Amino acid sequence: MRARFLQVSIGICIVLCGLLLTQTAQALQFHADDRYTLIPSDTVRDDLYVTCGGVGLKFGSEDSSPGGAYIDGTVLGDMCLAGGSYHFTGEILGNFNTASQRANLRGKIHNSVRIAAQMVSLDAEIGKDAMIFASEIELGSSSSVGRDVSLMGNEVSINGDIGRDVYIFCDQVIISGNIGGDVKIEAQSVTIVGPAEIQGDIKYKGPREIKMDDDVIVHGEVDWDKTEKTKKEDEGSDIGLDIVLFFCSLTTGLILIPIFRQHTELTVQQIQINPLASLGIGFVFLFAAPFAILLLMFTIIGIPAALILLFAYTVFFYIAKIYTSIVLGELIIKAFRKNTPVRMGLAFVIGLIILSLLFNAPYIGWIVYVLTIFFGLGGLLRGMNQCRRKIKSADSPPPQEDALA
């Protein structure tokens, strides 16, 4: 399962990064705000790139909550979207690529869809392929995909029509739709209910036999490769944890960047200007802070300070990867689009996806993770120092002119 997780994730990452970076600036429209709306009467005649907030929104254009993306118009090119949540009922003539917390699609995409999210509800018409990576995935009864579908998550439900093959890697899957090709599944449990119809074969790897209603039609063969239950469940829980951690970091970063923009910019600058200094300071802080906390705990007077330092240490450790992700994302964007302003939110999403994949890589994953924390911690502390200096210089009175001059 972990190998499949890496394969599908790397595919999503490559597609997202390629579409984000290889276009010319004249053929793109960028929008970065808490809320973005494309009303039904509007048409974007270029590729559209949107970053937005809106964590935990109720989907629907009638929702007046600030934040989120509401795509009800037409995009004549490709669309890439990163943010907390979005609602889509429009039409895209190109491809649709997105990384978000929640995704709700009800419109029409003429080409392919690639989604990384926590929850996905899809009742759209997809002209070509669909690749979805999420914890909960539902393809509704009104959904249709012209070609292949690849799904990875925890719970998967397929109720619509799929033109060709289906590849599923999850914990639980329920199929009640029509599939025009083969079905390949790795899961803990599989249920196929009527009036499902599968034109090709079913190849299933898992610990439990498939539950299938009598009115289900399978034109090919059913091949069950029985596996051990415990090992697969452990791997599935690891993947679930990876998904949760990724989206927690994504949400935290998308909230943190606009709120503390000045400090974030200064932190990123410190890592870029002197990465070795950031690496060294991060190394010292990571190991020196717990020792200082332990010493303070031995004195009654120092206990409150130790608790405050422990809280700060935990927060700093958690958000350190955000700054390293921005630096990595900016390096990648500038490598393809030189002398072009880089949006910090976009750089963060790209960098976080790549780092999350590298963290799961065998042998080098832990090395990348440790270096990421070192750079982020060092840059964070140096950025705080730069903020303090700016505040101090702003509060300092201007020098008095000599009265005899």
Side-chain angles (χ1 to χ4, degrees), residues 68-270:
Y70 302 87
I71 313 297
D72 302 314
T74 302
V75 179
L76 299 185
D78 296 335
M79 179 172 180
C80 292
L81 188 150
S85 58
Y86 64 87
H87 168 86
F88 175 83
T89 61
E91 183 175 3
I92 298 175
L93 272 65
N95 300 303
F96 185 37
N97 305 282
T98 175
S100 65
Q101 184 184 25
R102 298 184 180 181
N104 189 3
L105 283 77
R106 297 288 185 272
K108 181 176 182 179
I109 296 95
H110 289 251
N111 285 343
S112 298
V113 171
R114 303 167 186 91
I115 302 174
Q118 182 180 359
M119 299 173 59
V120 174
S121 176
L122 191 149
D123 259 309
E125 180 182 348
I126 313 299
K128 294 184 179 179
D129 302 322
M131 179 183 293
I132 303 177
F133 171 48
S135 178
E136 298 180 17
I137 304 171
E138 179 183 2
L139 304 186
S141 57
S142 301
S143 65
S144 65
V145 180
R147 301 195 309 196
D148 299 335
V149 173
S150 299
L151 307 175
M152 169 167 282
N154 183 33
E155 298 179 3
V156 172
S157 175
I158 300 177
N159 306 306
D161 297 330
I162 298 173
R164 297 197 313 201
D165 298 336
V166 178
Y167 305 89
I168 304 173
F169 311 95
C170 67
D171 185 43
Q172 300 177 359
V173 57
I174 299 176
I175 299 174
S176 64
N178 299 317
I179 299 173
D182 297 333
V183 179
K184 298 179 181 180
I185 304 173
E186 281 191 38
Q188 294 297 310
S189 65
V190 177
T191 303
I192 304 178
V193 299
E197 182 174 359
I198 299 172
Q199 299 294 330
D201 300 330
I202 298 178
K203 296 182 179 180
Y204 164 52
K205 180 184 290 187
R208 303 182 184 94
E209 190 174 0
I210 294 178
K211 297 180 181 178
M212 190 180 305
D213 290 351
D214 295 334
D215 56 345
V216 172
I217 301 175
V218 180
H219 294 272
E221 298 180 352
V222 178
D223 182 11
W224 175 33
D225 181 7
K226 187 174 182 180
T227 60
E228 294 295 331
K229 178 179 178 181
T230 304
K231 182 178 179 180
K232 289 299 177 181
E233 286 184 343
D234 290 342
E235 290 180 354
S237 64
D238 291 341
I239 293 174
L241 180 61
D242 290 336
I243 295 172
V244 171
L245 292 176
F246 173 81
F247 285 104
C248 285
S249 298
L250 178 65
T251 304
T252 302
L254 293 175
I255 295 174
L256 189 70
I257 291 171
I259 295 177
F260 301 101
R261 179 165 292 275
Q262 183 182 20
H263 173 259
T264 303
E265 290 176 349
L266 290 172
T267 298
V268 172
Q269 289 175 6
Q270 295 304 309

Side-chain angles (χ1 to χ4, degrees), residues 380-400:
L380 188 155
L381 295 173
R382 297 179 69 208
M384 292 177 62
N385 185 49
Q386 291 296 318
C387 283
R388 181 185 61 81
R389 290 183 178 181
K390 283 182 173 291
I391 294 173
K392 186 177 180 180
S393 61
D395 293 339
S396 300
Q400 298 293 328

